[in-house]
Amino acid sequence: MQHSTSSALVVSGWHRMSYNFHDNTLISQHLESLIRKLHAFVGNAVTQDRYIVFGAGSTQVLSAAAYALSLANSSSSHSPTRVVASVPYYALYKQQVEYFNSEKFKYEGDAHTWRNRSESDASTNVIEFVTSPNNPDGLLNKAVLHGPNVKTIYDRAYYWPHFTPIPAPADEDLMVFTLSKLTGHAGSRFGWAVVKDETVFNKMVLHMQVNSIGVSKDTQLRAFKLLKAILEEEAQIFDFAYQTMKSRWERLATTLSFSNRFSLQKINPQYCFFYNKVRESSPAYAWVKCEKEEDKDCYTVLKAANIIGRKGNVFGSDDNYVRLSLVRSQDDFDILIQRLQKLVSEEDGAISM
């Protein structure tokens, strides 16, 4: 809203009508260049000598990555590639694999249960999704599995200064980002992957061509305009977003610090090279645990207080956990805090607020 003119977009009715750009690709080279400049400015990802592929949000990019890596793994075995992620994991990984029901891969749950098997069984191909920072708990996760038969997809959607310290540029073989967690424009449906291997990149591009003939040119144009405005304003958005998320996390943590019934995840401070200081995380979500034995269904406990989250079992965890979102309108967040304060104040033995 503060930069409404520089981020505004008006498109003529005759503009960008064909499938391809002038270089006969489905990817705007101007937008790709801006993405590389943004990563270099923030210092959150290595893009030099890497390929970049676009998708309809990280949702489509993650699907394309799984297809590309399952094909890359398939030469040594006819059995499906096993797909795993560490608990608690982002629910979409499991949902996509099970929904598409492909012979190429099968969801196998928690990566930790496969640690010994993946290293001892050379015939089993594995794809591990690593969300870092993690959704739902904000931790900077690292891969659990290693070996020649293991491929890793790093979901870096939240690896921006407003959510986490940036201890170093991410430098994995396949990293996924999304506009929705960078600028908040979730409805524009734009995501991208930074890919080291050319063969994997080409397979992902083919998947996009077959699946949707690339990403909408209108979406790419809007993403270009937004990123251009961010860089022209010297990335003021990060300071604004960081202060907003920092304030929200502190208010939430303070509220629950008076509770004997609920607890929050612990995230250790780290040195951030973007801000050149040691700082706390300011995560997108609160991973709330109901501590009392009788509160086995934490979702129901909170819903009774008119607080709606997502159940722990959605993330492969126990139902004494609930995810609460901090990425919402300020009015919604204020109401969340008010209802949490009321709930905590009604506890037996709660510390006076």
Side-chain angles (χ1 to χ4, degrees):
M1 292 173 69
Q2 295 172 16
H3 301 89
S4 58
T5 301
S6 62
S7 63
L9 183 65
V10 178
V11 184
S12 300
W14 51 265
H15 192 52
R16 298 193 172 204
M17 293 172 63
S18 66
Y19 289 117
N20 298 328
F21 289 93
H22 294 304
D23 60 357
N24 206 34
T25 72
L26 300 170
I27 291 177
S28 164
Q29 297 303 314
H30 296 295
L31 176 54
E32 180 186 324
S33 177
L34 274 184
I35 288 172
R36 294 181 188 274
K37 288 179 181 178
L38 183 64
H39 281 303
F41 179 86
V42 176
N44 67 335
V46 174
T47 63
Q48 185 176 359
D49 299 324
R50 307 293 171 93
Y51 303 92
I52 293 181
V53 58
F54 297 166
S58 63
T59 304
Q60 190 185 32
V61 178
L62 291 166
S63 175
Y67 269 98
L69 293 182
S70 65
L71 291 169
N73 270 346
S74 64
S75 59
S76 62
S77 174
H78 295 294
S79 62
T81 298
R82 313 298 180 174
V83 178
V84 298
S86 294
V87 173
Y89 50 71
Y90 178 38
L92 183 73
Y93 308 144
K94 179 182 179 181
Q95 291 170 350
Q96 282 195 339
V97 171
E98 293 181 346
Y99 177 79
F100 291 120
N101 195 27
S102 171
E103 295 180 355
K104 301 182 187 302
F105 39 71
K106 179 181 179 182
Y107 194 77
E108 292 285 358
D110 190 4
H112 289 87
T113 64
W114 278 81
R115 177 179 286 166
N116 295 329
R117 284 195 282 179
S118 68
E119 294 175 354
S120 61
D121 185 0
S123 65
T124 301
N125 295 314
V126 179
I127 294 174
E128 182 183 358
F129 281 102
V130 180
T131 318
S132 186
N134 193 33
N135 175 2
D137 60 18
L139 298 179
L140 285 170
N141 285 350
K142 295 182 179 180
V144 172
L145 307 181
H146 304 279
N149 58 324
V150 177
K151 304 293 183 182
T152 310
I153 300 170
Y154 268 83
D155 186 346
R156 291 288 190 175
Y158 300 91
Y159 198 54
W160 297 100
H162 37 300
F163 296 124
T164 180
I166 307 296
D171 191 19
E172 294 87 29
D173 289 354
L174 201 163
M175 304 173 284
V176 178
F177 296 86
T178 174
L179 189 70
S180 65
K181 305 308 181 295
L182 167 59
T183 68
H185 291 79
S188 294
R189 308 309 304 135
F190 182 75
W192 66 94
V194 181
V195 185
K196 181 180 290 186
D197 185 83
E198 184 178 9
T199 301
V200 173
F201 165 75
N202 288 332
K203 288 176 179 178
M204 292 181 69
V205 170
L206 176 61
H207 179 86
M208 300 302 184
Q209 290 173 340
V210 174
N211 185 262
S212 60
I213 318 182
V215 178
S216 160
K217 282 189 172 182
D218 294 334
T219 292
Q220 293 190 53
L221 181 59
R222 187 168 199 207
F224 172 83
K225 188 69 172 179
L226 292 168
L227 298 190
K228 186 171 182 287
I230 287 173
L231 287 169
E232 286 177 347
E233 298 294 339
E234 298 182 343
Q236 294 176 24
I237 189 173
F238 294 119
D239 291 334
F240 170 82
Y242 170 52
Q243 292 301 325
T244 299
M245 297 307 300
K246 178 175 179 287
S247 171
R248 291 182 179 188
W249 179 251
E250 289 172 350
R251 287 179 65 191
L252 183 71
T254 299
T255 299
L256 294 186
S257 69
F258 293 97
S259 173
N260 296 315
R261 191 179 185 186
F262 307 102
S263 64
L264 275 177
Q265 74 265 39
K266 305 297 183 186
I267 308 176
N268 293 327
Q270 292 194 55
Y271 189 84
C272 176
F273 278 92
F274 183 77
Y275 283 115
N276 294 313
K277 66 178 182 180
V278 175
R279 50 157 287 203
E280 302 280 351
S281 289
S282 41
Y285 306 108
W287 188 231
V288 178
K289 181 181 180 182
C290 283
E291 295 288 353
K292 291 189 176 181
E293 180 67 25
E294 60 268 27
D295 292 340
K296 292 182 179 180
D297 187 348
C298 200
Y299 173 85
T300 300
V301 171
L302 292 176
K303 190 175 181 182
N306 290 319
I307 298 168
I308 299 176
R310 297 194 73 182
K311 290 186 175 183
N313 65 27
V314 173
F315 306 93
S317 191
D318 296 327
D319 275 339
N320 60 337
Y321 285 94
V322 166
R323 191 197 77 173
L324 299 179
S325 176
L326 279 65
V327 279
R328 53 178 67 248
S329 73
Q330 190 62 44
D331 287 345
D332 281 352
F333 180 76
D334 290 340
I335 292 171
L336 169 64
I337 293 298
Q338 290 169 12
R339 292 180 180 176
L340 280 173
Q341 288 174 340
K342 183 176 185 296
L343 182 62
V344 170
S345 69
E346 294 170 351
E347 288 181 27
D348 292 332
I351 303 169
S352 179
M353 297 181 69

